[in-house]
Amino acid sequence: MKTQAYINGQWLDKKSTFSVTNPYDGSDIAQVADCDAEDARQAIKAAHDAFQIWRNFSAGKRSRILKNWCQLQLKNQKELAQLLTTEQGKPLTEAIGEIRYGASFVEWYAEEARRIYGDVIPGHGRDKRITVIKQPIGVVGAITPWNFPSAMITRKVAPALAAGCTVVVKPSDLTPLSALALAELAEEAGFPPGVFNVVTCKNPVAVGEVLTTDPRVKKISFTGSTQVGKLLLKQSADQVKKVSMELGGNAPFIVFEDANVEDAVKGCMASKFRNAGQTCICTNRIFVQESIADEFIKKLSEKIQALKSGNGLETGTEVGPLINEAAIQKTASLLADAVSKGAKITIGGKRQSGLFFQPTLICDVSQKMDIFKTEIFGPVAAVYTFKTEEEVLQMANDTEYGLAAYFYGRDYARIWRVAEGLDYGMVGINTGMISTAVAPFGGVKESGFGREGSKYGIEDYLNIKYMCWEIQ
Ligand code: SIN
């Protein structure tokens, strides 16, 4: 387990450290280097110098190093997953899934590194020729969240590195150990010093400010809350930095009366309780058509009641702890508000010991409650009912967020209408699982912009240059 920062290929000790704790039992796991603004500037300098080298590696050479990194992640998946569960709390099966998911971005972009094609455009005159090339942007600042401490790093860093950019990663102070483990494997994979840097810190403000205001950083890629995203956007605006923002969500999960109810319940459980409800694309509002509401709620209740909470490292655990006290308080207060306005808790609803919150089902929820507008980020399934397609589309789109949406139904004409009518960047149709390296992940509205994964994901790390040739 590495606990020093990783800057310019060196492991850096700091006098000042911060503790990382296990959310399962609050125990101390490690003391990690607490970097400051000066360390962030050093990392940027290293990345800036290394950019001149890395961008000039052939695509094939960059690709081979990325492939080495992917293979090392897969080879060490068990150890990486154990570390991830220990600092984050999610069940080990999910942590293994995250390591594989994270490695799949590295594999995908190792392949895409060789396919950064340009264009030849018919000129605008007989003597004109136009060519288009794509070039790496430069140094990228990647600010990553605690809910996916490994995969959100590889999802940003792999396309950046494939494009020829270099990176400075600032992981969450709650989960820096997975980031440092990735750095150790990057070193082993053969990235030259300075290409991949990790700046760990307790207080994100100073390092975040350096990343967003140092002119050597050409792009910021952030995953986290809309509130912090807006701040980073403002800070980045002065230098007109390129930015990608993967922010909050408020995912609707709609079940139409012609849906296969068993399948819908399965999809709902998967998208609601993944990571104890702590993902940006977790189902946040479940809308069920009135005629099948009783059947759906009964089946959903049975599944929620059967969920096993506990230590993520123990076999059979399905729901881990929440990340911190603030998450517990937020969940409890959303439920209190909903109940005060007429909602009924039918399962759970209470804090358990430590950072555990009971998997919860709440019914008779309505648009006037805070839970309708707020990203819950906890294990609470909130069920609304509706009568018509028009009504549910209005409710589903009644939010400033636009990340993921899901719906179940079989009428193909309605499937098209609803899929097109949902103001979201991603739509799951008869599925609750939409995350994959081969598709463009990202949102609209206040859920952000930019795409991660797929052929589109690398574009965010490339500048387009066009050359106009005049031939005599
Ligand atoms: C997120 O919660 O930000 C990412 C979820 C995913 O990639 O599936």
Coordinates of all heavy atoms in Angstrom, one line a residue, residues 101 147-148 152 155 223 246 274 278-281 435 441, ligand 1:
Y101 N -14.0 -3.0 -14.7 CA -14.7 -1.9 -15.5 C -13.6 -0.8 -15.7 O -13.4 -0.3 -16.9 CB -15.8 -1.3 -14.6 CG -16.6 -0.1 -15.1 CD1 -17.1 -0.1 -16.3 CD2 -16.9 0.9 -14.2 CE1 -17.9 1.0 -16.8 CE2 -17.6 2.0 -14.6 CZ -18.1 2.1 -15.9 OH -18.9 3.1 -16.3
N147 N -16.7 7.7 -4.9 CA -17.6 6.6 -5.1 C -17.1 5.5 -6.0 O -17.5 4.4 -5.9 CB -19.0 7.1 -5.5 CG -19.1 7.8 -6.8 OD1 -18.0 8.2 -7.3 ND2 -20.2 7.9 -7.4
F148 N -16.2 5.9 -7.0 CA -15.5 5.0 -7.8 C -14.0 5.4 -7.8 O -13.5 6.0 -8.8 CB -16.1 5.0 -9.2 CG -17.4 4.3 -9.3 CD1 -18.6 5.0 -9.1 CD2 -17.6 3.0 -9.7 CE1 -19.8 4.4 -9.1 CE2 -18.8 2.4 -9.7 CZ -20.0 3.1 -9.4
M152 N -13.1 5.8 -12.0 CA -13.2 7.2 -12.5 C -11.9 7.8 -12.9 O -11.8 8.8 -13.6 CB -14.0 8.1 -11.5 CG -15.4 7.7 -11.2 SD -16.4 7.6 -12.7 CE -16.5 5.9 -13.1
R155 N -11.1 6.1 -16.4 CA -12.0 6.6 -17.4 C -11.5 7.9 -17.9 O -11.8 8.3 -19.1 CB -13.4 6.6 -16.8 CG -14.4 6.9 -17.8 CD -15.8 6.4 -17.4 NE -16.5 7.4 -16.6 CZ -17.7 7.2 -16.1 NH1 -18.3 6.0 -16.3 NH2 -18.3 8.1 -15.4
T223 N -15.3 14.7 -12.0 CA -16.5 14.0 -11.7 C -16.8 14.3 -10.2 O -15.9 14.1 -9.3 CB -16.3 12.5 -11.9 OG1 -16.1 12.2 -13.2 CG2 -17.5 11.7 -11.4
E246 N -18.7 15.8 -15.2 CA -19.6 14.7 -15.0 C -20.2 14.9 -13.6 O -19.5 14.6 -12.6 CB -18.9 13.3 -15.2 CG -19.8 12.2 -15.5 CD -20.2 11.4 -14.3 OE1 -21.2 11.8 -13.7 OE2 -19.5 10.5 -13.9
R274 N -26.8 -0.3 -6.2 CA -25.4 -0.4 -6.5 C -24.6 0.6 -5.7 O -25.0 1.7 -5.5 CB -25.2 -0.1 -8.0 CG -23.8 -0.2 -8.5 CD -23.9 0.1 -10.1 NE -22.5 0.2 -10.6 CZ -22.2 1.1 -11.5 NH1 -23.1 1.9 -12.0 NH2 -21.0 1.2 -12.0
Q278 N -24.9 5.0 -4.0 CA -24.0 6.1 -4.1 C -23.3 6.2 -5.5 O -22.1 6.2 -5.6 CB -22.9 6.1 -3.0 CG -23.5 6.0 -1.6 CD -22.4 5.8 -0.6 OE1 -22.1 6.6 0.2 NE2 -21.9 4.5 -0.6
T279 N -24.1 6.2 -6.6 CA -23.6 6.5 -7.9 C -24.4 7.6 -8.5 O -25.6 7.8 -8.2 CB -23.6 5.3 -8.8 OG1 -24.8 5.2 -9.6 CG2 -23.4 4.0 -8.1
C280 N -23.8 8.3 -9.5 CA -24.5 9.5 -10.1 C -25.6 9.0 -11.0 O -26.5 9.8 -11.3 CB -23.5 10.3 -11.0 SG -22.1 10.8 -10.1
I281 N -25.6 7.7 -11.4 CA -26.6 7.2 -12.3 C -27.6 6.2 -11.5 O -28.4 5.6 -12.2 CB -26.0 6.5 -13.5 CG1 -25.1 5.4 -13.1 CG2 -25.3 7.5 -14.4 CD1 -24.7 4.5 -14.3
S435 N -23.6 1.1 -17.8 CA -22.2 1.5 -17.8 C -21.3 0.5 -18.6 O -21.3 -0.6 -18.3 CB -21.7 1.6 -16.4 OG -22.5 2.5 -15.7
F441 N -20.5 8.0 -21.9 CA -21.1 8.3 -20.6 C -21.1 9.8 -20.4 O -20.0 10.5 -20.5 CB -20.3 7.6 -19.5 CG -20.9 7.7 -18.1 CD1 -21.4 6.5 -17.6 CD2 -20.9 8.8 -17.4 CE1 -22.0 6.5 -16.3 CE2 -21.5 8.9 -16.1 CZ -22.0 7.7 -15.6
Ligands
SIN1 C1 -20.6 7.7 -11.3 O1 -21.4 7.5 -10.4 O2 -20.2 8.8 -11.5 C2 -20.2 6.6 -12.3 C3 -21.1 5.5 -12.4 C4 -20.7 4.5 -13.5 O3 -19.7 4.7 -14.3 O4 -21.4 3.5 -13.7

